[in-house]
Structures are given as C-alpha cells and as structure tokens.
Amino acid sequence: MRVLVTGGAGFIGSEIVRTLTSAGHEAVVLDALLPSAHGGAADRPDSGIIVADVRDREAVDRALRGIDAVCHQAAMVGLGKDFADAPLYVGCNDLGTAVLLAAAAGAGVRNLVLAGSMVVYGEGRYECPLHGPVRPGPRAEADLAEGRFEPLCPSCGTELTPGLVGEDAPVDPRNVYATTKLAQEHLAASWTRATGGRAVSLRYHNVYGPGMPRDTPYAGVASFFRSSLARGESPQVFEDGAQRRDFVHVRDVAAANAVALEAVGGLRPGSFAAYNTGSGEPHTIGEMAAELASAHGGPAPRITGEYRLGDVRHVTADSRRLREELGWKPTMGFAEGMAEFAAAPQRDMAASPAR
C-alpha cells in the first residue's frame, strides 16, 4: 500500500512512517518541517518527503499521485497559550483538512485515517449515586480557585464517580483545539458521503513516548513533566493530581494507525467510524508524574493546586471497540513505558504547535 502521511516528520507521524515501512508499505511524507517544530535532520524521514504545508493545494495534489490511502496527522496540538491562537488552530486543523479532502476527492483517493482526539468528549463519563449517568457542565472558576476540582451532579450536587468513555458518548468540545478536532471529523464524514470514500478517526488519548517535543506550551502533560525533569526541576502537577487520563504509548498508536489503514478499505463506501485509542489502563496525572520522576531519578513532583480553564477533570477511554473490530491491542504497559520515556531523548525546539 502507498500511504500519504501528513505531518509524517512529527512525533506521532514519524513513528507511523517507521511502522508502515516495517510492514512493507510505502510511506510518502508531507510535512512543513518548520524549524521550530523539528529538532534537526535526525527527526526527518530518510526519503519520500514533500516539504509543504497541508493547506498548499498544489503541493497536496502532487503528494496524492499514486496514493492508496491517506493518514492525516498534520495538526496544531494542545491547548496553546490563549484564545489568540484560535485563528492558527482553525486555519491549520480545519482549513488544512478541507484542502486535503478536496484534493483527495479530485485525485480519486477514497481511504482516510484521521488523527482524532479524546478531547471531543469534553468531560468523561460520570455516575451519580442518585441519578445514574449524568453530564456535568464546565467546572466553575470559583470552585477551581477554592480547590473544589471534582465535577458535581447538576441535579443534586453530589460528587460524581468517573468511568470509561465509549464512542457513543455525546461530544462536547470545551476549548479551541477540541472544537477543531471535532470539525475535522465532521469534514471527514461529509467527504465520505460526498465521494463514496471511507474514513476512520482514531481518537487518541494521552500519547507519550520517545521523541516528544520539549519546552513547548503546545505539547502534552507527559512532555511538560519530562522537560522539567531534564532541567533538574520537579514536575508541576496542577489541581490535586487526581485527574484521570489514559496514557498510551506512541508505538501502540502507530500500530493502531497501521491496523486502521489495512481495515479502512474494507468499510462500506460512504462510511465514517471513530475509535477510541487508549491503553485501557487509566491513571491519575499525579501517578504518571510520580512514576516518571522515580524512573528518571527525581526530583519528585510538586502538587501546585493551579488550574487551567478549559481543562477537563477526568476522561478515560473505553477502547474495546478498536480491539474487537480491528484486532488492535496495545503492548506497552504503564510502568515499562514510563521507564523508557524517562530515559529517552526529546526533540529540542522553540515553542511550536506542530505535530
């Protein structure tokens, strides 16, 4: 199979390229290779790269020649610094996806795997002992400022119990990045209906592993903590550290993309499917920070009580559907993965949003 991997020189994209190549596929990489987003020549694929922005229609048309499927990873990631980043996120993530899909429609390419995200759900799944499954609204800033971090039942005010989020959960994006990731899925679904294409969105949970960028406000929490440890500083854990997440290793995410690329061509024309992509082992952010710091040899994390508006309290994946329907299974355990990550190099770069 000949696969176009957008953002294929980035953290996740480069691992996908390695996985596809090892499986005997040909990967063609389209990446802007912004100097601030790539740590040097060592991060770049050896061959088959087209240096261009995904919003460049002429370059995308050229990249799609002879392509069987597209693996779309190019995106701005993370919460960013503030709302002033909104035009950049929308331009890169949504306009970029629209340009790519329009070009694919013209080129006759009909198979797509999209880098989705768990952030489309907003808060995760919650149970109230009195009212059963409930959907809490955004947490009030006054509560956060007073250290009241747990979502409460909107009917009775009881503290809720978090659970696993399935793909049938309602979507509720609560920041600009989340909104753009949901818009990407809507664009992909519209493209399948208009062209008879087939698309799969892999809703990544918290991806970590070797090659994560360092010292950038656009990276994930695992990168923040690893960067702090590399500087000899304690990881700064927001809130009380009890936020639940699913940390999934980058090689497992790359394997999920390879499986999805094999499967997408067998879907019914005009269909779109979303799959949670997580390890299946929820952990708190405090646990992750402690495990990473211990494996690195310290210093120990510090719980700060700080918070960010737009952050959700708990969101953890139910990834059974991906396992049962596509046969994917993560192989990297939490402790093993954190031990590897604690000793692995990161990408040195200026603060950059590019994957």
Side-chain angles (χ1 to χ4, degrees), residues 238-264:
F238 281 15
E239 301 188 16
D240 58 1
Q243 311 94 301
R244 285 163 52 94
R245 297 290 189 270
D246 186 313
F247 299 97
V248 59
H249 196 275
V250 66
R251 289 197 295 273
D252 286 329
V253 169
N257 276 272
V259 167
L261 284 162
E262 293 280 4
V264 68

Side-chain angles (χ1 to χ4, degrees), residues 156-168:
C156 67
T158 300
E159 193 170 292
L160 300 173
T161 301
L164 298 180
V165 182
E167 289 88 351
D168 59 348

Side-chain angles (χ1 to χ4, degrees), residues 35-36 39 45-46 73 76 80 111 120 161 163 171 198 211 237 242 256 282 287 293 312 339 346-347 354:
S36 59
D46 293 331
Q73 305 295 313
M76 286 182 67
N111 297 325
V120 300
T161 301
V171 291
R198 309 166 181 88
V237 181
E287 289 171 344
V312 297
Q346 292 177 274
R347 295 182 182 213

